[in-house]
Amino acid sequence: MKRLVLACRRKGLGAAWRLELEQGFGLVWDWAMLQLNVSSSSSDQVARSISEAAPRHYILKIMSFSSLAKTGIEKYESEEFDAGGYKWKLVLFPQGNKSRNVKEHLSLYLVFADVASLIRLESEVHAVFRFFLLDQTKDNYLIVHDATGKDRRFHGSKHLWGFDQLIPIRTFNDVGNGYLLDDSCVFGAEVFVTKEMSSGKGECLSMIKDAVSSKHVWKIEKFATLDSEYQESQQFSAANHKWTIQLFPKGRRHGSGTHISIYLALVDSDTLKDGSKIFAEFTLRMKDQQQSRHIAGKVSHWFSESSKESGWEKFVSSAYFYHTSSGCLVNDTCTVEAEVTVHAVANTL
């Protein structure tokens, strides 16, 4: 049987028309292909192909698809999935994206999930993506993608790309096409990152000349009545940052039950940028209130959002602390002193 295929493009719609002339059967219009090739944007060229290979990165299966419209769900957002080292989501509009005046079509988009990181790092990610729709009758997939293979730029101001008119609702609902069977359907996606651009990573280390020490004295009364896991001093300032002393009366970790544990903690660590840190030298003292034989520990530490505290699990043994001759606990009161010197600050660029 001879078949002649004529292809032309309907002006203004960007839709491919196909005319098939079969000997003995007359002229046949391939309406399905006509409908499927309507682009989501007059400037975009949408390509569609068939593949037996399942999508590599994500599959979205929807049962009782018709219930989405019945329950008033105009948009469904998938869980996050990984592709190219980043997290993405699919956003489906089963009745079309009304905010873009889409009618009689399903709309499907790819969303960069971690938009905050794009804004914070002033970066952008370029990616090529393809959407899949399973033909459950033929067990193959309709693939929808940009015909030019052009990558899309995801950044803080534009983190969503896709197709307003993925497929006509009438074509999707037609049981003969196999996309919606028993009121269930399967979508999919593949995402390939082609380029990453950012302002670059860097840091600035600022050493502090003639650094000044800051002292804070903390008097803890009614020590025997303390029943919480730890006590915390009032906040004090050192090099424009807030600090506290933390004391664990019954010890912590390896010092639990046998020692008093003491730490210096950076209170406003959440104000630091990712990767920023503060280098501080500090001394913590348990004051001997009788003979000034103070117990002291001195150490240096890089404080950051992920490392907010530093100190000693076994600062002083409980046996020595409670012994009357130690001078640590007098009239049920003990005194702890912190001396903090900030020598350097490293900030991300």
Side-chain angles (χ1 to χ4, degrees):
M1 180 182 298
K2 295 181 180 180
R3 171 176 290 186
L4 175 64
V5 179
L6 305 177
C8 60
R9 186 167 293 276
R10 186 178 179 184
K11 185 177 181 180
L13 289 181
W17 288 54
R18 290 177 56 197
L19 306 181
E20 295 187 356
L21 185 61
E22 296 186 1
Q23 184 177 353
F25 288 92
L27 187 64
V28 179
W29 295 83
D30 191 342
W31 288 107
M33 290 303 295
L34 168 62
Q35 290 176 326
L36 286 176
N37 278 282
V38 176
S39 170
S40 63
S41 171
S42 59
S43 61
D44 292 339
Q45 295 185 30
V46 181
R48 290 173 171 81
S49 58
I50 303 298
S51 174
E52 294 183 353
R56 304 180 191 181
H57 297 134
Y58 200 68
I59 288 179
L60 171 62
K61 184 174 183 179
I62 303 177
M63 310 293 289
S64 301
F65 182 86
S66 61
S67 296
L68 290 174
K70 293 177 182 178
T71 54
I73 299 177
E74 296 183 356
K75 177 180 74 172
Y76 179 76
E77 188 172 297
S78 76
E79 292 296 315
E80 295 180 0
F81 63 94
D82 294 311
Y86 296 93
K87 293 189 180 297
W88 311 83
K89 289 183 178 182
L90 293 181
V91 176
L92 172 69
F93 292 81
Q95 298 298 316
N97 189 350
K98 295 181 181 179
S99 66
R100 297 173 66 96
N101 296 319
V102 179
K103 298 178 180 179
E104 301 178 355
H105 286 77
L106 275 74
S107 303
L108 183 62
Y109 305 95
L110 176 69
V111 177
F112 193 94
D114 190 9
V115 181
S117 68
L118 292 178
I119 298 174
R120 182 176 67 253
L121 300 175
E122 298 181 358
S123 61
E124 58 185 53
V125 176
H126 294 235
V128 174
F129 59 90
R130 308 193 303 172
F131 292 145
F132 290 66
L133 180 56
L134 177 63
D135 181 339
Q136 301 175 66
T137 301
K138 298 178 181 177
D139 194 27
N140 57 28
Y141 289 87
L142 170 68
I143 301 177
V144 183
H145 58 94
D146 187 285
T148 64
K150 178 181 178 181
D151 57 10
R152 296 301 183 182
R153 188 166 65 98
F154 295 82
H155 53 91
S157 301
K158 177 68 174 178
H159 54 275
L160 178 149
W161 286 98
F163 301 102
D164 294 334
Q165 299 179 348
L166 180 78
I167 186 173
I169 293 177
R170 179 180 296 180
T171 303
F172 176 78
N173 289 338
D174 189 339
V175 176
N177 292 322
Y179 302 130
L180 186 64
L181 290 184
D182 297 326
D183 206 20
S184 69
C185 56
V186 178
F187 296 90
E190 290 183 345
V191 184
F192 303 96
V193 174
T194 58
K195 183 167 56 177
E196 302 165 82
M197 298 179 63
S198 69
S199 57
K201 291 185 177 181
E203 65 180 79
C204 176
L205 174 62
S206 300
M207 301 301 298
I208 301 175
K209 292 183 179 181
D210 303 320
V212 179
S213 298
S214 298
K215 285 187 178 181
H216 179 72
V217 178
W218 178 28
K219 181 177 288 188
I220 308 172
E221 300 177 335
K222 298 180 180 180
F223 195 90
T225 64
L226 301 179
D227 55 3
S228 58
E229 181 185 5
Y230 72 94
Q231 300 295 312
E232 194 167 50
S233 73
Q234 290 186 340
Q235 296 180 12
F236 62 95
S237 297
N240 298 319
H241 287 279
K242 299 295 184 181
W243 309 80
T244 61
I245 307 169
Q246 295 178 347
L247 183 143
F248 291 74
K250 297 181 180 179
R252 185 188 189 193
R253 296 173 182 162
H254 292 95
S256 180
T258 59
H259 287 74
I260 306 294
S261 303
I262 300 181
Y263 299 86
L264 177 70
L266 178 63
V267 177
D268 54 0
S269 60
D270 56 343
T271 64
L272 298 177
K273 295 180 179 179
D274 287 346
S276 296
K277 51 192 176 182
I278 299 171
F279 181 73
E281 179 183 59
F282 66 92
T283 301
L284 295 179
R285 296 185 182 91
M286 178 71 71
K287 305 296 285 289
D288 178 349
Q289 303 173 67
Q290 296 174 339
Q291 304 181 48
S292 297
R293 297 175 301 179
H294 310 315
I295 301 171
K298 185 176 182 179
V299 71
S300 297
H301 184 73
W302 281 102
F303 290 87
S304 65
E305 174 63 22
S306 60
S307 184
K308 305 176 183 179
E309 60 188 40
S310 179
W312 293 267
E313 298 174 358
K314 298 181 178 181
F315 188 80
V316 58
S317 69
S318 299
Y320 183 83
F321 175 82
Y322 285 106
H323 199 283
T324 55
S325 64
S326 71
C328 295
L329 190 64
V330 177
N331 295 326
D332 204 24
T333 299
C334 71
T335 302
V336 179
E337 182 183 76
E339 184 175 354
V340 183
T341 307
V342 175
H343 291 288
V345 177
N347 287 314
T348 55
L349 297 177

